[in-house]
Amino acid sequence: MNITNLEFYLLIINILAFIIAAINSKIPSKKPDGRSDIIVAIVSIAGGSIGALISLLIFDRKAEKGNMLSRVIISCLVVIQTIIYLIFKGFISNKITFAFWSILVKYPISFIYLALINIITFLVYLKDKKAAEKGKNRVKIVTLLFLSFIGGSLGALLGMYGLRHKTNKSYFTIGIPLMIIMQIFTLFYLSNI
């Protein structure tokens, strides 16, 4: 097995990210503004997102408001960096197209899925907004972000700014646009394989 410089770098940076995220998860005095996650975010951006995600899944499973933004960023980076790696390794068509919507035309079920998940996501944001106004049980943040992550990011964006809901939370104001970028990137790649 021949390992390239890129693969060696990715192996090292992911091991480093795993260790840093594991140490970070054991720090008892995490600041509520998430500053203790900055180093984890930096190594994730540098290519260590998979190592950081694995560490989170093993050592820091409890999702809290203080660690939500880093979880969103790391999850999106895993998808984006995996696609970049696949492109770099040549798992892409020789004829590149930027018409990423062609995948939706070629496979109408994908268009139906995206339409439905965005409608569902918007309706869940609406339900949460109404529950917040009435002081009733709210939809969990993880549920709102998960629906956005699996394709409902446009519905989430519409829910956020159309309903004026969750617009003061960084894990939504940064996370939802990042998810949109990730999903456009994914559609671009899928239309070029």
Side-chain angles (χ1 to χ4, degrees), residues 43-60:
V43 293
S44 295
I45 291 168
S49 60
I50 292 173
L53 182 64
I54 292 169
S55 182
L56 287 175
L57 293 173
I58 294 172
F59 300 112
D60 195 12

Side-chain angles (χ1 to χ4, degrees), residues 164-176:
R164 296 178 188 228
H165 187 54
K166 301 289 188 186
T167 56
N168 293 330
K169 307 294 182 194
S170 63
Y171 36 89
F172 286 97
T173 59
I174 295 170
I176 300 302

Side-chain angles (χ1 to χ4, degrees), residues 30 32 37 60-71 141-142 145 171:
K30 283 189 178 181
D37 291 337
D60 195 12
R61 287 185 226 155
K62 188 173 182 187
E64 300 168 334
K65 290 180 181 183
N67 66 11
M68 197 59 66
L69 180 59
S70 65
R71 289 171 179 273
I141 294 168
V142 174
L145 289 170
Y171 36 89

Side-chain angles (χ1 to χ4, degrees), residues 62-107:
K62 188 173 182 187
E64 300 168 334
K65 290 180 181 183
N67 66 11
M68 197 59 66
L69 180 59
S70 65
R71 289 171 179 273
V72 169
I73 291 171
I74 289 168
S75 299
C76 290
L77 283 174
V78 165
V79 174
I80 292 169
Q81 289 173 355
T82 300
I83 292 171
I84 291 171
Y85 177 77
L86 291 171
I87 290 170
F88 186 79
K89 293 302 279 183
F91 294 102
I92 193 163
S93 173
N94 291 332
K95 186 180 173 190
I96 302 295
T97 179
F98 289 96
F100 56 84
W101 54 87
S102 66
I103 193 81
L104 303 176
V105 174
K106 186 175 180 182
Y107 301 104

